[in-house]
Amino acid sequence: GAQSVQAATDSSEKLTLMKSEKKSDKDSEDTTDTKSSDTKGSLDVSEVAEEAMPSVVAITTKSVQEVQNYYSMFGSQYAPSQEQEVQGSGSGIIVGKNDDELLIATNYHVVEGAETLSVGFCDSTACEAKVKGYDSEKDLAVVAVSLDDIDSDTMDAITIATIGNSDDLKVGAQVVAIGNALGYGQSVTTGIVSAKNRKTDSSGQIESSDSTDNSSSINKGVNLIQTDAAINPGNSGGALLNMDGEVVGINSSKLASTEVEGMGYAIAISDVADSLENMMNAKARDKVDNHGITGSTVSTEAVQIYGIPQGVFVSEVTEGGPADDAGITKNMVITEFDGKTITSIDQLVELLQYYEPKEKIDVTVAVLDGNEYKKKTLTVKLGKDDSSSKDSSEESAAQDSQDSQDESIEG
């Protein structure tokens, strides 16, 4: 199910997931022997665990959160706000390697808001990591570890996971879950596929015929595999494997009810393989804080009643900032950022966190023209370099102004 870590032979070659060479049921002969082999697999649980563990990592995050003190709990207006460092834990799956980085798939909620990331390998070594790409709606992320930070012994110990076909899973088939449960280190649980093709509604609730079902998921619109293999906090981002040791799901969420047991969920790997490959080929991002706009989410009511496009309504633009230089003005609506559809201010802020200073990004905005909105695509140069001279700043602004004039307008 896994193989030693090897880099792509050509740095310009697009990275892809290492998929199983086994044909799917649709491509194989419809015989009883074939179905039995594909469903049951060739390994027992201990063999699956031994083969897959080197491709599963522990992820530790540190973030800063505001906390209540004694006075603020009772509504005192003089209570000072307090911040404290919070540590979180999750899991990840080694899915690829290029000339410079080791690439690890995990859940977006594992790395969301993290100030620092650390990846722990099967030989108990750990390295710093950074977010390479993510999709908050699918609850997916890919993090990267610099190969310069990984010693040769660790490289020999770890493996790249083999990706299976989640479409071929049968209800009742045995599966194995591996992850960093409760942050204690790698552990293994096993169970069966309880259901396939579970979906979530617009509120994040897992769709059910019983509207009072107290279940929760943050994987909006993602195809989920339901399993009774224990998936506890810290397991998120870990591997759900078939009995051939192939990854068929990314463990993600557990029912948020103390009255329910044996209902865990994993993102079906075949449904998100393309998204993961896109993230694997993205550029690793560092945080940049200088954006130059203030905005708010366009409400559903504003979209329906007033016809304002869905996105972020720009209420203020910092004079001389990156957005101002690009031509973004007050009352515009940001609808796309770097090719990604924008639906809320939170999503935009999160996206902005992982772009490098001076990086040029295409931003699509909607501008009111008479009684209708027309779209423009502007080029924004993020995070001005404060150390540059006035002359170079003016030259940069002039170039950005030229970039912003090269805009495409749609009806």
Side-chain angles (χ1 to χ4, degrees):
Q3 70 175 29
S4 60
V5 178
Q6 296 179 350
T9 55
D10 182 358
S11 60
S12 64
E13 180 182 348
K14 180 180 179 181
L15 284 172
T16 59
L17 296 168
M18 192 176 77
K19 297 180 182 178
S20 169
E21 296 179 357
K22 184 180 68 178
K23 293 183 178 180
S24 69
D25 287 349
K26 297 176 184 177
D27 299 327
S28 59
E29 294 182 8
D30 191 16
T31 65
T32 302
D33 290 342
T34 300
K35 284 186 175 182
S36 176
S37 175
D38 287 345
T39 302
K40 295 181 180 178
S42 58
L43 307 175
D44 65 21
V45 174
S46 63
E47 291 170 327
V48 170
E50 183 178 8
E51 188 169 322
M53 273 189 164
S55 65
V56 180
V57 302
I59 296 177
T60 302
T61 64
K62 289 184 179 180
S63 59
V64 176
Q65 297 180 4
E66 288 191 3
V67 295
Q68 287 186 323
N69 59 23
Y70 175 83
Y71 298 101
S72 61
M73 288 178 63
F74 293 95
S76 172
Q77 60 180 327
Y78 303 107
S81 60
Q82 291 187 337
E83 293 183 341
Q84 82 177 26
E85 189 175 76
V86 178
Q87 182 169 301
S89 61
S91 307
I93 307 165
I94 300 173
V95 292
K97 173 180 176 286
N98 58 30
D99 291 339
D100 304 309
E101 303 163 325
L102 187 71
L103 305 175
I104 297 159
T106 186
N107 289 138
Y108 169 69
H109 75 263
V110 170
V111 300
E112 181 180 9
E115 297 290 332
T116 61
L117 296 173
S118 175
V119 169
F121 298 106
C122 60
D123 63 349
S124 299
T125 61
C127 298
E128 289 188 1
K130 64 172 62 174
V131 175
K132 188 174 180 70
Y134 67 89
D135 187 327
S136 57
E137 291 187 354
K138 293 181 179 178
D139 193 28
L140 294 173
V142 169
V143 301
V145 178
S146 173
L147 296 182
D148 293 337
D149 296 336
I150 307 174
D151 62 38
S152 59
D153 290 340
T154 299
M155 291 300 296
D156 290 338
I158 61 180
T159 58
I160 294 176
T162 299
I163 306 301
N165 190 335
S166 56
D167 294 337
D168 286 348
L169 281 176
K170 302 287 191 299
V171 173
Q174 188 172 15
V175 287
V176 175
I178 301 179
N180 179 29
L182 301 179
Y184 294 158
Q186 284 190 2
S187 63
V188 180
T189 59
T190 186
I192 62 168
V193 175
S194 304
K196 294 175 59 179
N197 302 318
R198 292 297 196 211
K199 297 284 187 179
T200 53
D201 60 25
S202 59
S203 66
Q205 296 283 321
I206 295 175
E207 292 180 349
S208 169
S209 56
D210 181 4
S211 60
T212 62
D213 186 13
N214 185 28
S215 62
S216 66
S217 171
I218 57 177
N219 309 293
K220 299 178 178 61
V222 175
N223 199 11
L224 301 173
I225 301 164
Q226 182 181 324
T227 178
D228 65 350
I231 298 176
N232 296 297
N235 275 123
S236 287
L240 186 72
L241 305 122
N242 61 21
M243 299 312 292
D244 285 319
E246 301 163 349
V247 177
V248 290
I250 300 176
N251 300 330
S252 184
S253 58
K254 189 172 185 289
L255 281 178
S257 171
T258 57
E259 300 174 358
V260 178
E261 292 184 2
M263 292 182 73
Y265 293 91
I267 300 171
I269 197 70
S270 296
D271 283 24
V272 297
D274 289 345
S275 295
L276 285 175
E277 288 181 349
N278 288 337
M279 291 180 233
M280 289 166 64
N281 289 279
K283 186 176 181 181
R285 310 295 191 184
D286 288 319
K287 290 188 177 182
V288 57
D289 297 319
N290 186 7
H291 317 314
I293 67 164
T294 301
S296 59
T297 303
V298 177
S299 67
T300 303
E301 292 78 8
V303 173
Q304 294 174 347
I305 298 174
Y306 301 107
I308 301 175
Q310 187 177 42
V312 171
F313 183 83
V314 179
S315 57
E316 185 179 346
V317 178
T318 303
E319 185 177 355
D324 184 37
D325 287 346
I328 295 177
T329 60
K330 185 178 179 180
N331 297 332
M332 285 184 175
V333 179
I334 298 173
T335 59
E336 289 185 22
F337 183 89
D338 197 16
K340 300 178 178 68
T341 300
I342 299 298
T343 58
S344 70
I345 185 65
D346 291 339
Q347 179 193 6
L348 179 60
V349 169
E350 190 66 33
L351 273 173
L352 283 164
Q353 287 184 335
Y354 298 102
Y355 283 80
E356 296 178 349
K358 298 185 179 181
E359 191 166 359
K360 292 181 179 180
I361 304 297
D362 285 340
V363 177
T364 301
V365 295
V367 185
L368 187 60
D369 183 5
N371 295 323
E372 63 178 359
Y373 280 88
K374 291 185 177 180
K375 291 184 178 180
K376 294 182 178 181
T377 299
L378 307 173
T379 300
V380 178
K381 186 175 181 181
L382 297 175
K384 284 188 167 182
D385 186 358
D386 295 332
S387 64
S388 62
S389 66
K390 180 178 180 182
D391 290 340
S392 62
S393 295
E394 289 175 352
E395 181 181 346
S396 174
Q399 179 62 47
D400 291 343
S401 178
Q402 179 62 42
D403 290 337
S404 68
Q405 290 172 14
D406 298 332
E407 59 194 29
S408 60
I409 301 179
E410 301 172 9

